[in-house]
Amino acid sequence: MNLVKKVALTNHCDDRGSLAVIEAGKDIPFQIKRIYYIYGTKHNLARGFHAHKTLKQLFVCVSGACTVKIDDGKTSNDIRLDSPSEGVLLDRPLWREMRNFTEDCVLLVLASEGYDESDYLRNYEEFLDYVK
Ligand code: T46
């Protein structure tokens, strides 16, 4: 069972290269209030280990690759993000762990809300309790 939705981005490719488009409300089902990206990662160091209560996000690995483990409290999937032409949508509380970053990895995140530490579930037991 796939826990996350893959989103095929509209790509405009020609002799000059490629241009990928993400339009809020069209390609993704939320308005974008925040953009951040993770880079300069180390292959052997993992990140994440949390879920969000209400935040919706689209992850796009715009350079390089990384593996995202997604867990809904019942099952988990490992997804290798290695293409700038597609994203994965996290639209409900899902535990995530990112690891196995390539040196050139840039993980772009489009988010539905501004930064709010109270939206994080940073303890796995608390997450399980929240989704049950
Ligand atoms: C997520 C994954 C994919 C801010 O001050 N503002 C922000 O908008 C964000 C995202 C983070 N921060 C601060 C909070 C921490 O002091 O940046 C520091 C690193 O954040 P964190 O340890 O949460 O990083 P990751 O890589 O574990 O998680 C991040 C996002 O926090 C999270 O929303 O889904 O990337």
Side-chain angles (χ1 to χ4, degrees), residues 86-97:
E86 67 175 19
V88 291
L89 187 65
L90 284 75
D91 57 0
R92 61 190 191 284
L94 294 165
W95 187 263
R96 79 286 312 270
E97 299 172 10

Side-chain angles (χ1 to χ4, degrees), residues 61-99:
C61 200
V62 293
S63 170
C66 66
T67 301
V68 185
K69 180 183 176 184
I70 302 290
D71 180 336
D72 70 353
K74 293 195 178 82
T75 53
S76 74
N77 284 168
D78 275 0
I79 301 162
R80 188 71 176 161
L81 297 183
D82 58 5
S83 169
S85 66
E86 67 175 19
V88 291
L89 187 65
L90 284 75
D91 57 0
R92 61 190 191 284
L94 294 165
W95 187 263
R96 79 286 312 270
E97 299 172 10
M98 297 88 74
R99 52 171 59 83

